[in-house]
Structure formats: structure tokens, C-alpha cells
Amino acid sequence: MAAKILLIFLCVNVISFLVNASSRPHMCAVESGGKCSESGEWKGEFFPGIPKITYEGPRSRNRLAYKWYNAEEVIFGRKMKDWLRFSVAFWHTFRGTGGDPFGAPTKYWPWEDGTNSVAMAKRRMRANFEFINKLGIDRWCFHDRDIAPEGKTIQETNSNLDEVVKLAKELQGDNIRPLWGTAQLFMHPRYMHGGCTSSELGVYVYAATQVKKAMEVTHYLGGENYVFWGGREGYQTLLNTDMEFELDHMAKFLEAAVAYKKKIGFKGTLLIEPKPQEPTKHQYDWDAATTMNFLQRHGLVGEFKLNIECNHATLSGHSCHHDVETARINGLLGNIDANSGDPQTGWDTDQFLTDIGEATMIMLSVIKNGGLEPGGLNFDAKLRRESTDVEDMFIAHIVGMDTLARGLRNAAKLIEDGSLSELIHMRYASFDNELGALIEAGKANFEMLEKKAIEWGEPKVASAKQELAEMIFQSFL
Amino acid sequence: MAAKILLIFLCVNVISFLVNASSRPHMCAVESGGKCSESGEWKGEFFPGIPKITYEGPRSRNRLAYKWYNAEEVIFGRKMKDWLRFSVAFWHTFRGTGGDPFGAPTKYWPWEDGTNSVAMAKRRMRANFEFINKLGIDRWCFHDRDIAPEGKTIQETNSNLDEVVKLAKELQGDNIRPLWGTAQLFMHPRYMHGGCTSSELGVYVYAATQVKKAMEVTHYLGGENYVFWGGREGYQTLLNTDMEFELDHMAKFLEAAVAYKKKIGFKGTLLIEPKPQEPTKHQYDWDAATTMNFLQRHGLVGEFKLNIECNHATLSGHSCHHDVETARINGLLGNIDANSGDPQTGWDTDQFLTDIGEATMIMLSVIKNGGLEPGGLNFDAKLRRESTDVEDMFIAHIVGMDTLARGLRNAAKLIEDGSLSELIHMRYASFDNELGALIEAGKANFEMLEKKAIEWGEPKVASAKQELAEMIFQSFL
Amino acid sequence: MAAKILLIFLCVNVISFLVNASSRPHMCAVESGGKCSESGEWKGEFFPGIPKITYEGPRSRNRLAYKWYNAEEVIFGRKMKDWLRFSVAFWHTFRGTGGDPFGAPTKYWPWEDGTNSVAMAKRRMRANFEFINKLGIDRWCFHDRDIAPEGKTIQETNSNLDEVVKLAKELQGDNIRPLWGTAQLFMHPRYMHGGCTSSELGVYVYAATQVKKAMEVTHYLGGENYVFWGGREGYQTLLNTDMEFELDHMAKFLEAAVAYKKKIGFKGTLLIEPKPQEPTKHQYDWDAATTMNFLQRHGLVGEFKLNIECNHATLSGHSCHHDVETARINGLLGNIDANSGDPQTGWDTDQFLTDIGEATMIMLSVIKNGGLEPGGLNFDAKLRRESTDVEDMFIAHIVGMDTLARGLRNAAKLIEDGSLSELIHMRYASFDNELGALIEAGKANFEMLEKKAIEWGEPKVASAKQELAEMIFQSFL
Amino acid sequence: MAAKILLIFLCVNVISFLVNASSRPHMCAVESGGKCSESGEWKGEFFPGIPKITYEGPRSRNRLAYKWYNAEEVIFGRKMKDWLRFSVAFWHTFRGTGGDPFGAPTKYWPWEDGTNSVAMAKRRMRANFEFINKLGIDRWCFHDRDIAPEGKTIQETNSNLDEVVKLAKELQGDNIRPLWGTAQLFMHPRYMHGGCTSSELGVYVYAATQVKKAMEVTHYLGGENYVFWGGREGYQTLLNTDMEFELDHMAKFLEAAVAYKKKIGFKGTLLIEPKPQEPTKHQYDWDAATTMNFLQRHGLVGEFKLNIECNHATLSGHSCHHDVETARINGLLGNIDANSGDPQTGWDTDQFLTDIGEATMIMLSVIKNGGLEPGGLNFDAKLRRESTDVEDMFIAHIVGMDTLARGLRNAAKLIEDGSLSELIHMRYASFDNELGALIEAGKANFEMLEKKAIEWGEPKVASAKQELAEMIFQSFL
């Protein structure tokens, strides 16, 4: 029997997913060391042979087509593209090198000229917009240092940024906008002890200057949100750290950011993105609840929302759905980094989400939230180190977008069906009466409740029907 | 918008998953403390109102029907029931109480009389066979102490077991057999330091006696396999443990078991079930590789295969698929405990598997293995503590069986399509030549290879296409 | 060489730790099934042959003596006993059975008569006070259901409790008091969906009744604190849970508890004990920060402090020191459950703390907090399942107390030495100037900071000296 | 009280650990981007102001002195330096940059000229030997690519290596030798799919060529061992991987390495270093047991031993002590990478070990093993990213060496005392009789054991005395 199956295994021949793709652009050779082309004007397309990606439906075997994402299709009165509000992450997509702590870069995209010049930054920005247009989406997000190189002085750095941002604004045209911008306060060695929580005054000052500029350019580009991710705001050991001091500085910094936002008239949402650890042993914005605690303690609640990343949630010991729901019920769900981690891996793998069940749970929360606008779903996800074809950039985004689109479709069907919400509703039905109302109004004191308990005796407790809930859920996948 | 959706949420009304089920048997009240009925003969059905479960197809909304499992349907020349070889686990299904380290039992099944008598054991065995028959499957598995109570002496204990086993044999009829039997060497306090690895000679001796009898009754019942799970064979701290001494004892014990198996003419497979920890801090059969290492070191390889449990695999830091594949390629895949854990939980939750992707990967391995016979798929899975309706026993098994059946269907389609196996085949194609053959024959020495390397220069390295592999995989879910 | 060492290994003979202890009380036999003595009055000591435990200093090899804990010795102007405020946990010490999810009880203490009667509860209470007196400490803590059996009605249950508590009050005498009391809202099946977060109104009502009584008896006994641990206040799956509803109920419940505390004039601190999961997949009081977030959101901050348990902290992904410090700097460090987990184990092992480094870090925090009063250090720690000698109860407490006493001594020396705090002080010294003061006063806006950054150029960033901090820390262990 | 303590905190003034060190070498500025000095001959010492490190005893407060490591002191008939056989790791110490996945390099050592030239490699090698000599140790270890740059062709690469190795041989003099050498098969992108398990034939061939040369230079330098660490020998997903194929290739490769070792007359031990994951999702040499399984399956047992790394052990779910003991009792303990991880961090932090308890357990195993010769203890440990002073290199090694020396002293005292080994001996004493001997000889069959069991009845089971074992262990720290 095994032999027979093996035969089937090997003899198959019509494999549409694997059709030859010789006309598509190739990565340049390892020996190039990253110098893949001459400097100067880039001629022609960056992605020749890659068509505009269109919707072909679930039966399509075309790897360069959407099977589930149909941008204009209406679900619950809203277009799919307006529920999903996809955004390409510039850093992973255009600055990801495939490097890791044990390995040198593996990606040598053909348009790279081996320099970190402003000219190269502009060429890369053109590639970004061609990529976005071919995917047919209309949002992107960035860190300041991804898109333009640091100069020798702050002024030179800002000038570099201005030059690239000016081009980006042109390329955006009428339809494309940043979902959000942010300042990269973790890569440069000056930030090794943190940005706003650094033990060095000079670094706090520098970080403020950088955030100020990043907010300005985000505003200039019409960005809808501005993000804070504190990858270095934390500690490596408590033995050398004054945690209270650092947290207070973080609060003062965010206060100043709020003030500056108002001053420049930026109307976007300020978002904090929690992550429990990595690169730091402990990061202060550990998870949604920890971040909300900080915001409350420092009187910052009304000024911020949260950007929940799935892989960060799982690293903090929660399901992605949990942290999304925690943010939602606290009124702070602002944006989702819809990626995925490996469940057996203790670091951020930033994979494209391909789990249909997880996507469905996320989209249930998004629908309950009435959508995410002005936030959206961005792909804080990167190609695997070993995925080195130019077309892999497209394949990864397509499967990530299709997974969430499939999740949206499933979630909508689950809601329409109503079985699952009815199951929940029935579980809590015993509170739908006068005493339940008193409790919820804060008017049921212990003496009153004791009287009831003695009167009623042993309470009846119904099954939680978890397996039925799982059956219903699965039947819509 | 949110309000509008909420409306849809609450107003829905035709919910077939949630139809009234008043005629079905109910758990008895908490106040019963587990004495739910009188002792003596049980009248009538154990599961009145629960029909024989049949296949209704994916569109069915009947919670008491199979949507994917169609026992007689042929896939790759074999019936679904012969690929899947489902088995009900007596202990979880009939002895599970819902208790946990922080909680008293929650399950008070109506047929329990509050005793641990032989009569009650027999009544429970009748319930077991009614359950199996209603599910339409034909295998079960058990620990000796689940099915019959311990007596005051070994002789009395064995006599109790004989009485219950005799009934079980009758009830099995022509079609039903144990997938496997085993001895429970972890519950009784005498086994607190282990069975065959106990620091007490008397316990080693006792454990041998118990395994001897359990092998005999498994043989008597026509069992197809016999399992060893060493939940207490390990240590709590190395500070008080002689690990080498204990491992040697384990080897001697298993040798004696092999000898006894041969003596009594039992032809079934002996299976070891790895688990990394819990209840013990470290268990010697940590995972598939560790167990295989032990078998090799002690000359026991040909005599044993492995029973891989998914939740055990994930607790040891592997995916379930990994440990199944590790066993398979080593020729030791004997059986699968097809359950699931919670990815954020550090203990064995023994949930029914409902993840379609995972089920598909498992079934890919099963097909590559040419099936599992004489092993199968058993449900080392239990109702949640909070699932307390009699019908939950059925719902849980139905969703678990359907998930694996769906996995089988998906795996078959993936194999028929061939894209994924072709992708793998293409990855390794560079070895399909003379030098590759020399390497694989162990005839390519370093000098020869060095010459080639100098001749060839920098090797070309292709993309691993992980995202494409994920896209292909997902398209068959 | 190895052989020579082996010789040393085996020939050694004067081993004071292991002197014969034949006069000490023994556990009764396994066959007893827990009925170890007749009912009726208990004659003589519970712990014959166990002397009052006294301080003998670090060179002592007497297992039944303190080597580091010298109750009356003064450190930083306070007696060791007043820094440490040790408390025996009734549940682990007197109700711990050694049972686990895979094993029946292993502890058969000689004073148990095999019943769960009020008489047995009173006998056990006498054992508790003999134990406390022999250890020479003066605090204990308890759950209501540990100390007295549940009756058939609430009135009978409360009456049982009153009878036992009356005896406890007598036995306490002038010196002994409860560090805290609490209500057990997790063991009984009625609480399977939670107490105050249950989906059943009747359970909410019942839980309120139980907490009301537990607060009353804690007050009656002179308890210094009252604890809430929500082991069932959480969820198993979000698919069947309305998390927002449940969290609101928890807040209302705690509000009512605050009101009742004030009404009865109880002056002790109300403490919440965070734990991330187990028994539930997710518990709402996940960690210190999550709990503080909840308290802030529901206006409960001033009314509660936290009881940080080390093993709970590590299960939530933090070091114990982290969660203690997080509570401290937020002004909420009320009490510490000074136990320990196994770093490779994903569940609560509740071991006695024996790690000197960890104890030193905890005591550093306690000293910085100015002590814990009215809180203290209680041992939410249990004998291993396999530790079954009566004297093991003493050995475990002695090593636990000695470890924390050693930690206190180390911490005091570290503080006196000052190197470590000076290292921290120097790290942050760059803020000790006018601009630092402006930042900390919230008066440094982004424009002002940008000017400084441009003026200063690239900041200097000093080494964090982690390895030096570790060297200093270790040199005081 | 808190205020009073705070006062002590701040007013302390004589702090010998923190004496001014202005004469010591400083890191160069961040703006240098790593070009810290001119090329050409290096003048004078690399570490001016750092004296030769000597032993000053436990009371010393000199950060640049050993407090516990006294090289010539004799313990159990052997010098400390011969028990410990310390080795400096070239890569972390001289090629560590402080970079991480989210951060650029932070280390700009003054002797770096900003190039990756052979001249710079030689300068760095001189620094290495000055460092080793100042520490007073006499072993080092390296990867081929750490010590010499890759050229444009294999021949050029080998020639670079030869030039640097020739200098190293001179600098080694009579006393210094490599503890081991190895080939770096993970950094270069050609190895992204593995070296010997790559899907590309050309890469297998290339890896063989590189290992051949690395074995040659290790032999030339008088290296005592040769190490294989397979950081890329594993998979990222099973969906695109043929695990069986890859494992077979790994076996063939190691066979060829054994043959080549014999051919060139290299007498050192071949060591495999297990690591469960990182950089790869799953690495084939997961832990000690998995690696031993592989060796057995492929007939390679006699040819290899294991190099156990503590941080790798903890990442695989074991304590370091466990994996060291597992290797030891299987006769495969060859070498130890004596580092440490953070217990709450899911990746390899490679910290210097500072935990006294862990060091004591490791040294207990080393003594039981009769030492590690020809293996030793190497520091696969790196300065924290934020530790950027030149003297931090010394401080880190000193505290790491002192910790293990302290562990050795503690372990020797524990063994001399004998209490702990006696406790273990007593636990297993019931087997010291005729039946025990029969069991251990494999002559006790199940029938014989059953007779005994019936004769003896319920066995007595003694306490495991874990808390006593912990008390004894701690009393020697």
C-alpha cells in the first residue's frame, strides 16, 4: 500500500502551483555581497513579469492571484478592503536582509546598488510603490531610518529624510497613505540602554528630537496613526536598573509627544505596541494589560490606543485573540500587526499568518470593534531567511492577505449564523433579571446576597459546552 | 456600524446547533456527591435520546452527526475507518471526573452509584460498549485499574480484573477489540518513586506483577498492542536520584516484558509512549528521540514501537507532526494519541483535536507510513472540567473524529495534487546525479569533495519557498 | 581518579545530617487509606521527638535547627522576625495530601482519623498550633474550607467554621495571629466557571456569602490581611466566554467586599494574589501589572494591595524579583508568597525556596519597601509528593526560613556595602542637572530638547556594567 | 524606616569595587563606526592598565582579581586548573560586536581598524594571546572564520587561514593550546539551508572542504578536540523538508570526517554540541539524548563525544545538570560550554555563569566523570550588548571562572562530607540483596517476581527526602 501511494507521490505531473517562472526577476548572486546593480537611474519595472495581483477565487491555482481577498466585495455593508485596511511594512519588505544572530544577509534584491545613499533610498521607495500598486492595496508603514539613511548630524539626517519623504508623497498620489509612521529607537548603539528610558540624558534628548521629526513627516504624508514600539525600553537585569526612574521618564516623554502632536495639528491616533521581551530581557510595554496599566497610572489613557501584534501576544503567554480582545473591551484596540509566530519558538519569528482559525478569531474581534479605522492590519511579517526569490515577496503577502480575507468571510458567516453568540448569550442568561441588574449597578451588598444564597441553596451550574463551541467554530472554517 | 452588527448578533433565531435536547440524559446534581443512582442492575439504555451517530456530510448542522467521517468511504483504496482505526479511551471517557489540582470532581454521570465496586465496574463497562456502538467505532483502550477496582491483595485485585474482563470480552462481540491495554503504574502511592525505576525493590516486583497480568488480559481480549507509559519513571530532582541505576532497571524490566510477551504468545506490538514531564519533573521517555536512544542503548529496538501523543510532543518543545515524523522515519511509528494541548499552557490539557491544519499534517504522516495497523488513532482526550452534559461525551468524540477525517481528506487531496511533494522533490534535485549517489553510498571522502568544491566555486542556493509551501498547504484545508 | 573519588563517596561515615531518627513520628501505612488513628481525643504531642527548633548558626549540621534564622537578632534596627514575619500555610501543611493529577494521596499523617468531621478539623487545628509553636513563629494563614468542613447548608457550613475558629482563637493565645485569611472559591464544583465571574447568578451570590463569612472570621481571629486569589476567575476558551461581562462582575464583587470590610470594622489590608493560569487557561489576575490595571480601571486602587507569589511570577514570564519590584514601585507590595517553582516546569510546583540568590533579591525589595508590615512572608509551599516523613514538614520549613534569613543577611550586607546601589546611582547621574529636573517635572518639550540635541551632537553612552553588578551581587552570597 | 535605609543607600562612600579606572583602555566612539585605529603595526599592549589577574581570596574587593580560582591549589589530588581546564572563546571575545536582531554593533574595541583584512586578523590574534596570558589560562577555542577572513576562492580563504594560524602557533608558545577548533557553517548565506544537510549538493561539497581544512589547522595547532555545531542543520518547516534525507546526509558527512581525522593522525576527540533550536526552528542535534540516538542509529557512537552547553540544555527544556549527567552516564561527556541563559528568555543569551548552585552541580558531575580531559570548560559566553568597556571583557571572565571555581570547591566539600551521596545510597539500599542482583543481571522474569510480590504484599515506600537533600546541598554553597 505504501508503495502504491509513493507512486502517486512521484508520478503526478500537472502542478499549476509550480509552473515555470523563468521570466520573473531573480535575486543576484551571493558573490555580489549586495551590490546587485549600478547606481544611477533605475530603468523599467522593479518587478517585471509580476502582474497586478487580482482576485480569481478559491479554486484558482495561480500563486500570483488572490483566492479569498476580493477588495471591492461587500461584507456586512462594508467593502473587504475597508474592513481589512492592509498595509505593507517597509522595513521587512524592503530592508529585510534575511540576516539573523547567526547568519549574514541572504537577500540581494536586484535593485540594490550596495550603498546606503539617499539615491538608493529613493530608488527603494519607487520599488515600494510599485510593489504596493501591484498588490492593489493602499497603505504602507515605516520607521524613519528604514526609508532614509542617517547622516553625520541631526540636521543632515533630517534633510535626508525630507528628501525621501518628498518623493514618497509624490508616489503616494491620491490613494495611498501611511497607515502609520514611527521612529526607529532601537537599532543605533546610542539607544542600547533605551531611548526615553536610557540612563543617559543625551539619549533622552536625542530620542525626543527623532520622534519629533518622525511625527512631522508622518503628518506631512497624511499618516493615519503614529506608533511607539519600545524595543529597548526595558532592562537586561534589575541589578543595574532603576525601574521606577525609567518608567517615570517614559511617561514624561509620552506626555511631551502628546503635546507636540497637538501643537502640529496631527489628528492621527497615537499607538503603543506592546512586546514582552526581545531584544531586551524585559520590556516595559509587556502586553496589552501592562501597557494599559502604565497609561492609567500616568494619566495618558485618552491619548493612546494599542497596536496589538500577534507574535508579541504569544510571546507574552497569551493567544493573539486574547490580547486583541483585551484591547477591544478596554476601548483601546487601534491597530493589529497581523503576523504569526511559531508556537514552539521563544522569539519573534514575524511570519505571515496562514492559520485560518486564528485569522477568523481576529476578524471576529475586528467586526465586534466596528472595524479598526483609522487603524488597520499591517504585515509586521517577513520572508523567511531562506526565501530569496523576488516573487516570494508577493507570494508571502498574497497568502497573508488571503488568510485574513478568509478569516473575515468565516467570521461574517459565524456571526450571521448566530449559533456561537447564542451559546454565549445562553451561558450568562441567569443574570437577566432584577438581582443581576442590581449586581451590575453596584447595588447588591453582601448581606443582601447572603440572604438570597440561603434562600436558594446549592446553585445549579450548567455545562460550558466548550467542545460544542469548538465544533460550531470549526464548521465555519 | 458596531450597533448594526450587534443587532445581527442578538436577533438571529434559527440555530440548529442549539436545538433543545430535553430528552437527553442529564448529569445528576452536585449534592449527590457522585451517588447518582441505586446499585444493582441498570435498566435500559445508558444514553437514551442519543441516536447512533451517522454521517450526514459537511453541510449538516446536527451536532450529533458526522460531517466528515464516513466510515465506509474509500480513500486511496482503503476505507476511512481502516485509515483512522479510532479507539475510545476508557479512562478519560468513563473515569474522568473533571477534577484538577485545584478542584474536586464535576462529573456525576447518571449511571454511577457512588461505589468503586466490581458491580459498578461492570455497569460502567456496559456503558462503554453502548457508547462505542453508538459512535460506530470498534476499538477501545484501557488501563487495568480503570476498568476494575484494586482489592486488598494482588490475588483479589487480579480476580476483580478477571471478572470485569470476562464481561468485556462478551460485550466486544465479533467486531470490537482493544487497540491496546496497559497497566496503571502511576496513581497508587506505592508508585510515587516510579514503577520499574522505583528506589524500592518491593515496588519493582509489584510493578512486574501488575504488568504481567495486564499483558495477559490484553492478550485474552484480543488486544492489538500493549502500551508502556512511564509517568512516574523519572525524577523530581537529581539531588536525590541515581539516574543511571534507574535507567538500567527500566531496561531490565522491559526485557522481562518482552520475554513474557513471547512466552504467552501475544503477537501485538509493544508500544512506549513518550512524555517529557508531568507528573514528574523529568520523565525518562522524554520524546521520540530520547526513547529511541534508550531502546538502542539497551538492545531493545526491534521489540518496541512508539505511541506518539500530540500534547506530549508539544510539551517537549516539538510540533506533533515533528514527533510523528521522527518516529516514522525511524520505522517506529506504532500508534498516535490524537489529542491536542493549549499552545500557551505548560501542562497536558488532553483536549480533543479540532485544528484542521494539524490533523492534515498528522494524516500526511499516517498515509506516508502506509497506515498505522496494528496501531491506530486513540483519543487520549478528555472533556473539559466544565463540560458536564452526558451529550458532551458524544460531541467531543464527534468533533475529534471529524477533525481527523477532515485531515485525512485534505491529506489525500494534497498527495493527489502533488504540488507540495514536487516542491520538496525539486528542492533536493541537485543530488540526483553520480556524486550525490556516491555521497549517499558513503563513498565520497573529503579529498574528493574538496576537489569538486574548488572546481565548482561558490554554489548556487535556491529559495526554500516556505511561503509557497504554506500557500499550497492552506489551499487544501 | 574516578575510582578514588568513588571510594571517598562510599566510605564516608560521620554524617550528622543523616543521624537516625527512630524516635520521631512516622507516617501510617499506605493500606490505611488515610485512617491512621481512632477518632476521639488525641493524646499527647502530635510531633513527639521533634524539639522546639532553635538557632544554632551556619556551622550546625542539625537538620532540626536554624542555621541562618535568628528571630531576635537585629538587622538595620529591626529584629529578623519583624523583617520576615513568617507565616505557616494551613492548607499545604495540614491538608496537603501529595495527590496530583496522575496520583492518589501519599500523605497519611498519624493524627488523621480518615474522616472530614468537625472533630477531626479541631484535632488538626491543635496539630497546627503545636507545629507553629515548635517552629517558633507566630503567624498562620488559611482558607475557610481548609480548616472546617462544608456542611449540607450554608448555615451548617458556617456553624462548622465557627466551631473550629473558636478553638483556633483559644490556641492562638496572645502571640499568634493570622497573617491572612481567605475564602476557597475554586475547589467545589459549583465554582467551576468561577466565583464572582461565574456565568451563573446563583454562584455569584454563593461566593459573596462565602467571602462575607471568611472576612468575618479573619476579623474575629485578629487577622492582619485578607486575600483574594481567583484561580477560577478566568476562562478556558474565549469561544464560550464574555470576558468584559466577567471582568465587570469581578469589579462589582470587590467593591462590595470593600464596603463590607468597612462595615464590620476590619482594618487589615485587602490583598489580590496574581497568577497567570492554572487551573484556568487564562486567569484575570495574570500578574502584578494586569491586576493593577484592573484596579485602576475600576477605581479600586486605594483599597487593595498585592500578594506576590514567586512561582506565579515565574509562570507569567517574569522573575519573582520583577513582580515584587513592580508591586513595590507602584506602592502595592503588600505580602509575598515566598515559594519557588522549577524553572523547566510549566505549572505551579509550590516548592520551598532554597535559592540564595533569589532570596537575596526578594529581601532587597523588602528592605527598600521598609518591610512588609502588616503583610509578611508566607510559605505557599508544599512538601514534594514523595516527601512523606512527618519530620519533612519541619525540614522543609526550616530550609525555607533559613533561605530567606540568609537572603536578609546578604541583602543587608549589600546595602551596607553600597557598591551596587552606587553603581546604579552612577548610571543615571547624567540626569542630575537642570535639564534632567525639567524633564522630570514635565516641562521639557520636544522643541527645547531638539535644540539641546543639535547643540550636543552624538551622545556618549557608558557601559551598563552588568557583569560587574553580577560580580558584586555574587560576592555577598 | 524606609527613609533611614535610603540614607544608608546614598551616603555610603568607601566602595572598592567601584574605584576609578581612568588609566584603563576605552572603547572608541560610536561615530567611528568601528574604525578605531590606523592600520599597520600595533604598538604596545592591547590592554594597558590591566594587570595580570591573580588570586586574592574571597575577601578581595578587587574586581580585577580572582576570589575563588587559585590555579595551582590542589583539590582531590589535582590542581584547580586541571579540573577546570578553562578556555577562552575567540568568537565571542574578539568578534562579538554587541549586535542583535534589532540592533547594530555596540563594541568598538580600540585595536580594530575597521577592516576585515588578514592584517587585522593577525592583530586581533595578538590581542587574544595577551588577553589569555593576562587571565593566566592556557586554552582557547575558535571557528575558522572568526580568526581569518574568507577570500574570493577556497584557495585564497585557506591561504588566509594558514597565515593567521601560523602566527597563532607562534603565539601559543609551549603552554597554550586550542581546547578545540571548529568550522563555521552557519554565518555565510550559502549555508542557509544547512551545511551537510543542505538541499544543495554544492553546499554539502563546500562544507566538507571547509571542515577538512578546519580539522587540519586544529591538528596543526595541537588542538585537543574538534567540535561540530549544527546551527543550520535542521528545518524551518516540515512542509518543505525531507528530514530523513537530511539526517542520512549528516551521518555520511560525519563518517567522512571520522575517516579524515584518522587519515591525518588527529588524536583529539570529535565532539558534537547539541542545541534544540535557534537559529533554525528545529535543529537535529536537539539535546544530548537526541544526538546520542542519531549516533547510535548511524553506528557512530565510539567516534564522538558531546559538548554540552548549559544555555542550550535549558532551551531544550532540561536543566544544565540534566544534560551533563545524561552525557556522563552514557560515557559521552566530553566538554562543557559553561555559560548560562536567562530562565525567562526563549533564546540563547550566552551569559557568563554566575549562579553558584548551578556551578556546584556541574562540578559534581565533572568530578564524578573523573574530570573532562582532554575536554574542558570553555566560555561560550559573551558580554552583554550594553557592556562596552574593555575591562568588562576581564570582569566577565573573572566572575565566570570564579563561579566555576567556587562550584568546584563546594562540590569537593559536598563529596567529602558524604551526606548527600549517602542519602542517595540509602534510597536504593533495598536492591542490595540477591533478588536485586538477579534483576540487575537480567535474570528475574515476571513469574519469579510475581511470586515475590504475592509473598510480600504491599511494599513499604520511604520518603524521598527532597527537602533534606536541598538543605544539605545549600549548606555547602
Side-chain angles (χ1 to χ4, degrees), chain A residues 100-103, chain D residues 91 143 180-187 195-196 211 226-233 250 254 271-280 283-286 291 307 309 312 315 337 348 350 380:
Chain A
D100 69 23
F102 299 84
Chain D
W91 60 100
H143 302 83
W180 46 262
T182 189
Q184 189 201 68
L185 302 179
F186 47 89
M187 192 65 78
C196 61
V211 169
Y226 182 87
V227 163
F228 294 86
W229 175 63
R232 301 275 174 207
E233 318 299 349
M250 190 158 86
L254 293 178
L271 296 165
I272 296 181
E273 178 176 328
K275 186 178 183 185
Q277 53 178 198
E278 201 209 19
T280 313
Q283 279 145 225
Y284 295 132
D285 300 324
W286 182 271
T291 307
N307 177 28
E309 176 172 325
H312 295 177
L315 288 172
D337 270 10
D348 204 14
D350 277 345
D380 199 348

Side-chain angles (χ1 to χ4, degrees), chain A residues 465-477:
Chain A
K465 310 295 291 180
Q466 178 168 338
E467 294 82 2
L468 179 58
E470 290 166 343
M471 178 188 276
I472 295 171
F473 182 77
Q474 200 214 66
S475 71
F476 288 93
L477 301 187

Side-chain angles (χ1 to χ4, degrees), chain C residues 1 15 61 76 78 354 384 386-387 389 391-392 403 406 417 419 463-467 474 477, chain D residues 1 15 61 76 78 354 384 386-387 389 391-392 403 406 417 419 463-467 474 477:
Chain C
M1 181 66 205
I15 302 167
R61 307 297 301 280
F76 283 156
R78 195 181 288 185
T354 64
R384 300 304 82 205
E386 304 81 9
S387 297
D389 288 344
E391 68 154 21
D392 293 336
T403 301
R406 200 169 170 182
D417 170 78
S419 297
S463 172
K465 310 295 290 181
Q466 178 168 339
E467 294 83 2
Q474 201 215 65
L477 300 188
Chain D
M1 182 64 204
I15 302 166
R61 308 297 301 281
F76 283 157
R78 195 180 288 184
T354 63
R384 300 302 84 205
E386 305 80 11
S387 297
D389 288 344
E391 69 153 21
D392 293 336
T403 301
R406 199 169 170 182
D417 170 77
S419 298
S463 171
K465 311 296 290 182
Q466 178 168 338
E467 294 82 3
Q474 200 214 66
L477 300 188

